[in-house]
Amino acid sequence: MKQVAQNYKTGELSVLDVPAPVCRPGGVLVRSLYSLISTGTEMMKVSEASLSMVGMARARPDQVRKVLDQVQQQGLATTYKKVVSKLDSYTPLGYSLCGVVTEAGDGAGEFKVGQIVACAGNEQALHAEYNWVPVNLCAVVPAGVLPEHAAFATVAAIAMHGVRRGEVQLGETAAVIGLGLIGQLVVRLLVAAGVQAVGIDPVPDRCRLAEKAGAVACGSPDDLDAVLAELARVTSGRGADHVFLSAGGNTNGPVEAAVKLARDRARIIDNGKMRLD
């Protein structure tokens, strides 16, 4: 079968011929109809592959900690060989898709062959013709929902999970930093919950789209004072009850802006990918 993969050492993207997965207990075998290309998470991976070794380390401090732990346990030489081998191998991409169940394993009786399902998972819902997906990362698509729309379910779930973790209440105010796809969904969920939202993003079209969806004001990080003034107006100077960090990038800018937007005892929710120093 065909599968999209990337060599993390060279940055090369390839469509590989690989063996199809087998159906195992606790999950279903799914033939992909649509898989979602995430311009945030996946473009970040593509960009990181073009960095030097030092640049990769700066971009992924979590992986550096794992490497240091392995050095302590297995020694420098063994760890170095493992890291080089991993970097020079192909890593499959993808984490959100919609497809058709072709086989259900033991313990996956709630799914039937022929059902349209939405699937999630960094190592499960790949850009591949077939995937084996565990039952907890798979959901039946309701009648009337187009498969190409259902492929967005994972991204929507990330936005929804962030709003749930924020525990927003009717009548509160929230700021959303980063108005990409997840940020746009967060704004819509907040508005639907009766929460006044303001947004921050450097792209003017994204700001206008969020305002069209119900945000009371949006602006660029370079013009933060204007957003702060509108936020002060709607909160009588108190600031946002919640701040959602839905941005990406290797900068502390979003979290520094969050401090300026937040009221005393506000809740800050990170559902993006950025530095939090």
Side-chain angles (χ1 to χ4, degrees), residues 163-164 166-174 190 193-196 241-242:
V163 173
R164 284 178 168 173
E167 298 180 5
V168 298
Q169 301 291 323
L170 179 68
E172 289 185 324
T173 306
L190 292 171
V195 176
Q196 296 187 97
D241 301 296
H242 310 270

Side-chain angles (χ1 to χ4, degrees), residues 93-240:
L93 299 175
Y95 66 90
S96 183
L97 65 81
C98 178
V100 181
V101 175
T102 61
E103 187 177 350
D106 293 339
E110 66 264 43
F111 296 99
K112 308 298 180 186
V113 172
Q115 282 182 321
I116 306 296
V117 291
C119 305
N122 186 42
E123 297 181 357
Q124 312 295 341
L126 305 171
H127 298 308
E129 291 185 87
Y130 288 88
N131 287 280
W132 178 84
V133 185
V135 292
N136 64 314
L137 294 177
C138 198
V140 176
V141 175
V145 177
L146 295 175
E148 55 264 45
H149 294 168
F152 284 80
T154 306
V155 176
I158 293 169
M160 183 172 67
H161 181 66
V163 173
R164 284 178 168 173
R165 295 296 296 169
E167 298 180 5
V168 298
Q169 301 291 323
L170 179 68
E172 289 185 324
T173 306
V176 182
I177 301 178
L179 297 172
L181 179 54
I182 289 179
Q184 295 288 341
L185 291 169
V186 169
V187 167
R188 284 157 174 76
L189 291 168
L190 292 171
V191 171
V195 176
Q196 296 187 97
V198 299
I200 305 289
D201 197 280
V203 181
D205 286 348
R206 292 179 176 179
C207 292
R208 303 295 80 78
L209 185 61
E211 289 174 343
K212 186 177 179 180
V216 296
C218 296
S220 166
D222 296 330
D223 193 21
L224 187 60
D225 288 344
V227 179
L228 286 169
E230 183 62 20
L231 182 62
R233 185 188 68 80
V234 299
T235 64
S236 299
R238 287 188 295 273

Side-chain angles (χ1 to χ4, degrees), residues 172-173 231 235 237-243 258-268:
E172 289 185 324
T173 306
L231 182 62
T235 64
R238 287 188 295 273
D241 301 296
H242 310 270
V243 182
V259 175
K260 297 176 182 179
L261 293 160
R263 68 162 174 80
D264 183 37
R265 305 295 191 275
R267 178 169 293 189
I268 298 178

